[in-house]
Structure formats: structure tokens, C-alpha cells
């Protein structure tokens, strides 16, 4: 199995996974199968990405006794969960994350919108589904929750989340949030590790001078430099090079609390956070 960390539940979670947001559906099955063939078995998918049936086809063909990936090496944790299980053609999940601290209105439209472009939200508080969430899931986790919300989940439930998945890269090092997670026993998964920009006027992490210089020095791609930065603090050997202390400082110094993945609305030519008025919006607090 690829380099991994151990969750408080004792289960291992591979440190590098394949995210499938924005993937081309027609290439997804082949991509997942290729991922398994080169030894990676941590797949990050979400019902809202609409591509779980394609992933399910790859899982059915390649995971199980006598196949490319034995069950025990696969790492992935009530109507939505059942649909995910059916689409993925799985009987259980290793890890199931609550994607956001607030819920969209239920129905067939994954992004129900008001006339002004804001999302139609459901009033359900995250504590309610969390308290009753059960089923064929080994480990539960959170995504896009801030520190206060994580503490709030921990204070109201005996079901302890094992993982927080948040946006994290050298522009957004999330030091305080990660420290809080470590104090609470949660492992942190970084999403958009390469800096996922949707707008031409946003800074391009993959083109930062220090990233390009280190890529040249170590004969690696800029993407490998950014992934290596993510895992070096855990002292795990993922690629066969190691940054010096000074180089780690240079990459850490890119931090400017910049977030790419904030749902935005364009009004009069200006962007503003689409859901910032929601009482459970996680990004109004500093961390
Ligand atoms: N929990 C959440 O709310 C949440 C939110 C966002 C993302 N995620 C997860 O995180 C995963 C990754 O996030 P992401 O797609 O936003 O960001 P990302 O992986 O940081 O960046 C993707 C961008 O990097 C480029 N890229 C990919 N491989 C590259 C390489 N080897 N060299 C140079 N450029 C490369 C891609 O460009 P091209 O497309 O042009 O190839 C794309 O623009 C998602 O698939 C999803 O699983 C979770």
C-alpha cells in the first residue's frame, strides 16, 4: 500500500489520493483503473460530482478477491449514502465525509438556486444528520468545517469524526485549523493541492518562482513539488528527493490565506461569496 497515516480508529489512510471533481466522465473509468494499477487506492468522490456510477464500474472490475486491488487495500467510510453505495457498486465505504456544514434543498437538482443566483438551502443543522448517521460506513469525517464547527460536532456527539478535508496548499497553509484538528485527533486531507483556479485573474500556484526553481533543481514537475510539500512535514518518503529546511520555509512563505474554492457569484462585474450570508457558512471565521 502507498504511504499512509493511521486514523484514531486504527484504519490506515493513504496519503495521496485521486480527486475526481472536474474529471471528464468518459475518461473516468480508465483513470480510476490506471490509478489502481500504479498502486494508489484512495479515491475522493462526491455524489454532487455526478460521476459515482463511472467509478463504480472501475471498482467492480478491479476491486475484490483475486483482482488488482484486494478489498482490504481499498480506501474510500441514509438515502444519499445508499445511492452512493449503489452507484459505486460497493457494500460499504471506508470513509464517508459530510461535504459542507450546510445543506442544499433536497431534490433532483444538485444546485437549486434562487432568482439572485444564491443557493436554496435546507434548514437542517449539520448536528442532526451527524448524530443519526449510521450504516455500512467504517469511518466518518467532515469537509469544509471550520474549527468552531468541528468543536461543536465533537461536543454534541459520541461519533467522533476521524478526518477533516479542507482546501490546503502553499497559499493556504491552514496552520491554525490543522493544529486544532491534531489536538482533537482528526487527520487532515488537503483538497485542491495544486491550486485549482477557475478565474484568469487569480494567482497561479503552479507558476510561482520558488515552485519552478525547485522543480528545475530536483528534476520534477511543479505538481510534484507541491505534493511533496504537502507530505514532507509528515516525514514520509513519497518522491526520492527531500526539501531542505530553507526550501520548506520558502514554500511556506507563499502562504497568504488565499482560497480558490469559495463558491462565488458575479454581480455587476464583481465576484462575491455566494453563501456568505448563511449562518453555517464556514469561511467567515479566520479558521
Ligand atoms: N471537499 C470539497 O469541498 C472539495 C472541493 C474541491 C476539491 N475537492 C477534491 O480535491 C480534488 C482536487 O481538487 P481540484 O481539482 O480543485 O484542484 P487541484 O488538483 O489542486 O488542481 C487541479 C488543476 O491542476 C491541474 N493539474 C492537474 N495535474 C497536473 C499536473 N500533473 N501538472 C500540472 N497541472 C496539473 C489541472 O489542470 P487541467 O485540468 O488543465 O489538467 C487543474 O487545473 C477534487 O477532484 C476533489 O476530489 C474537494
Amino acid at each position: 500500500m502507498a504511504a499512509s497515516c493511521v486514523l484514531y480508529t486504527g484504519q490506515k489512510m493513504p496519503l495521496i489520493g485521486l480527486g475526481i471533481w472536474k474529471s471528464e466522465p468518459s475518461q473516468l473509468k480508465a483513470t480510476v483503473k490506471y490509478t489502481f494499477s500504479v498502486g494508489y487506492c484512495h479515491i475522493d468522490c462526491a455524489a454532487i460530482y455526478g460521476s459515482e456510477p463511472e467509478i463504480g464500474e472501475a471498482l467492480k472490475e478491479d476491486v475484490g478477491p483475486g483482482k488488482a486491488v484486494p478489498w482490504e487495500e481499498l480506501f474510500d467510510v441514509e438515502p444519499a449514502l445508499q445511492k452512493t453505495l449503489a452507484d459505486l457498486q460497493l457494500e460499504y465505504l471506508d470513509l464517508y465525509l459530510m461535504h459542507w456544514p450546510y445543506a442544499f434543498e433536497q431534490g433532483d437538482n444538485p444546485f437549486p438556486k434562487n432568482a439572485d443566483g444564491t443557493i436554496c438551502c435546507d434548514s437542517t443543522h449539520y448536528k442532526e444528520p451527524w448524530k443519526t448517521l449510521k450504516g455500512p460506513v467504517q469511518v466518518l469525517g467532515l469537509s469544509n468545517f471550520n474549527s468552531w464547527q468541528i468543536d461543536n460536532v465533537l461536543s454534541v456527539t459520541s461519533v467522533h469524526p476521524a478526518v477533516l478535508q479542507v482546501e490546503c496548499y502553499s497559499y493556504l497553509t491552514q496552520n491554525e485549523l490543522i493544529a486544532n484538528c491534531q489536538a482533537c485527533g482528526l487527520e487532515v486531507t488537503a483538497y485542491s493541492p495544486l491550486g485549482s483556479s477557475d478565474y484568469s485573474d487569480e494567482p497561479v500556484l503552479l507558476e510561482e518562482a520558488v515552485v519552478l526553481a525547485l522543480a528545475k533543481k530536483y528534476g520534477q514537475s511543479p505538481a510534484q513539488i507541491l505534493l511533496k510539500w504537502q507530505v514532507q512535514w509528515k516525514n514520509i518518503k513519497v518522491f526520492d528527493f527531500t526539501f531542505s529546511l530553507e526550501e520548506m520555509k520558502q514554500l511556506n512563505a507563499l502562504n497568504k490565506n488565499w482560497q480558490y474554492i469559495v463558491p462565488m457569484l458575479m454581480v455587476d462585474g464583481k465576484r462575491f461569496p455566494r453563501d456568505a450570508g448563511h449562518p453555517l457558512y464556514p469561511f467567515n471565521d479566520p479558521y
Side-chain angles (χ1 to χ4, degrees), residues 20-21 45-52 83-84 87 99-100 104 109-112 119 274:
I20 52 84
W21 186 40
C45 47
I48 207 160
Y49 300 159
S51 47
E52 289 183 338
K83 179 170 182 342
T84 286
D87 285 347
H99 201 154
W100 283 89
F104 292 3
N109 182 355
F111 293 98
I119 288 283
R274 185 192 64 198

Side-chain angles (χ1 to χ4, degrees), residues 24-287:
E24 170 57 45
S26 63
Q27 294 171 6
L28 200 45
K29 181 177 166 188
T31 305
V32 174
K33 286 171 74 78
Y34 177 76
T35 304
F36 290 151
S37 76
V38 293
Y40 289 97
C41 44
H42 176 170
I43 309 292
D44 183 53
C45 47
I48 207 160
Y49 300 159
S51 47
E52 289 183 338
E54 287 80 7
I55 298 168
E57 287 176 30
L59 291 171
K60 191 175 181 193
E61 285 177 23
D62 283 4
V63 178
K67 299 185 186 173
V69 184
W71 273 117
E72 61 274 14
E73 280 196 12
L74 182 73
F75 192 91
D76 303 299
V77 202
E78 284 292 300
L81 172 59
Q82 294 305 337
K83 179 170 182 342
T84 286
L85 286 166
D87 285 347
L88 292 175
Q89 306 191 42
L90 290 175
E91 289 173 9
Y92 71 91
L93 298 179
D94 291 328
L95 173 65
Y96 193 46
L97 304 179
M98 190 179 281
H99 201 154
W100 283 89
Y102 52 90
F104 292 3
E105 198 174 79
Q106 292 182 46
D108 291 337
N109 182 355
F111 293 98
K113 298 233 172 102
N114 299 306
D116 63 358
T118 55
I119 288 283
C120 304
C121 288
D122 186 289
S123 60
T124 308
H125 194 281
Y126 55 76
K127 289 187 291 194
E128 297 313 314
W130 185 266
K131 276 192 283 196
T132 56
L133 199 55
K134 56 184 185 296
V137 168
Q138 294 199 322
V139 180
L140 288 166
L142 305 168
S143 183
N144 298 301
F145 278 54
N146 64 30
S147 275
W148 185 89
Q149 291 169 328
I150 295 166
D151 294 346
N152 189 231
V153 168
L154 291 171
S155 72
V156 296
T157 174
S158 57
V159 185
H160 194 303
V163 172
L164 174 74
Q165 186 183 116
V166 281
E167 190 171 352
C168 181
Y169 34 76
S170 303
Y171 284 158
L172 184 67
T173 52
Q174 302 273 28
N175 297 336
E176 296 89 351
L177 183 60
I178 291 172
N180 188 53
C181 286
Q182 287 171 337
C184 301
L186 276 77
E187 289 289 339
V188 175
T189 306
Y191 75 65
S192 302
L194 307 179
S196 173
S197 174
D198 274 337
Y199 301 97
S200 57
D201 59 347
E202 291 185 307
V204 183
L205 183 59
L206 281 159
E207 293 174 8
E208 280 289 342
V210 59
V211 176
L212 297 178
L214 290 171
K216 192 169 173 199
K217 173 175 174 182
Y218 289 107
Q220 306 287 327
S221 70
Q224 285 169 309
I225 296 298
L226 294 178
L227 292 183
K228 179 69 182 178
W229 171 83
Q230 292 276 0
V231 294
Q232 181 156 330
W233 67 276
K234 279 230 166 213
N235 202 20
I236 303 267
K237 197 169 166 56
V238 171
F239 301 120
D240 57 1
F241 66 100
T242 303
F243 295 131
S244 67
L245 206 56
E246 183 52 37
E247 289 164 348
M248 280 301 277
K249 276 188 194 163
Q250 288 171 1
L251 289 166
N252 289 338
L254 293 176
N255 183 41
K256 50 185 164 183
N257 296 326
W258 180 273
Q259 258 182 299
Y260 292 105
I261 313 293
V262 179
M264 300 295 251
L265 267 186
M266 189 72 84
V267 177
D268 296 333
K270 287 196 180 142
R271 294 200 300 270
F272 71 94
R274 185 192 64 198
D275 303 339
H278 193 286
L280 297 178
Y281 184 72
F283 308 133
N284 287 330
D285 289 0
Y287 66 93

